[in-house]
Amino acid sequence: QSIAQVSQEATNTVVEESESTETLGSVPFGWKALQPMPDPEMYKTKVHGKCLKIFDCENAPIPCDCPDAPTPCEPGTKDTYEFGVSGFPGQITQNGTDIEMTIEGGVVKKCHDHSGHHLCTKHAVAAGPYATTNLLEVKKGDVASYAFKAHKASDNDNYELFAGLYSDKSGLVDYQFHRGDATNWKTFELASPETAHGLVDYQFHRGDATNWKTFELASPETAQYYVEFMLASYDRSGGCVVGSKINIKDVVACQASPV
């Protein structure tokens, strides 16, 4: 099963909606780095080939990188995630273990270079601040759980959030093991899956305002993991100025919620 399928089928569901989501026996990750300055190229690399789930959009299309996308399909990702002015800063504030990430009033680059046709996919996106947790052991079958809330943008633009669970393990990711007699030239390939770069599960969301919702990122094996959150803003209004704000809390390792 691919990472995209695991995320869609197992983890892209709301676990609960509440003001307090931390559960008994959970262990908080803690924050390693809070980066207000966007990195558009890194964001582009992170979301490339990922299945975007679109919320708060009437007749939302299923984007091309999703397993059940139609033919033809609408693209979920962009060729660029830059602002018109290089180095346009986002904002991150921390209150205990909770953080708030904001993009406010930035002019997006290539605003009128539309990709697709649907209101919820064709406009531009600009990457914003991002945050990375410390490493923490997550047992096989357990999850990294987090809760987030998105605020309503004044111009009806959408938040875009990429949340990824990464393992610090590296090593053998593919092999061939052969025995035989003489053979002519043959070509073989060694695959480089997503897990070679550490990513084991993710969520990739776009939407309007939402109250607190909790999501889970699944651990395929007992290892040391960290979670990375990257905020972007989709220019749903088409006005070329984007903005979004989300809060993240209760980033913990814990047992998976009952199915």
Side-chain angles (χ1 to χ4, degrees), residues 149-227:
K149 176 175 72 173
H151 299 259
K152 182 77 173 178
S154 59
D155 53 1
N156 293 319
D157 289 335
N158 288 173
Y159 74 86
E160 191 169 286
L161 173 66
F162 180 82
L165 179 65
Y166 295 85
S167 169
D168 73 335
K169 293 184 69 173
S170 60
L172 182 68
V173 296
D174 198 5
Y175 73 94
Q176 278 113 31
F177 183 30
H178 299 163
R179 176 183 294 160
D181 199 1
T183 180
N184 208 343
W185 288 107
K186 293 184 179 179
T187 300
F188 296 89
E189 295 180 349
L190 294 168
S192 176
E194 289 281 2
T195 49
H197 303 288
L199 182 68
V200 298
D201 200 4
Y202 74 93
Q203 277 115 31
F204 184 27
H205 297 166
R206 179 184 295 163
D208 198 4
T210 181
N211 205 348
W212 288 109
K213 295 183 179 180
T214 300
F215 291 87
E216 295 179 347
L217 298 161
S219 167
E221 61 178 332
T222 299
Q224 295 284 316
Y225 295 94
Y226 66 92
V227 189

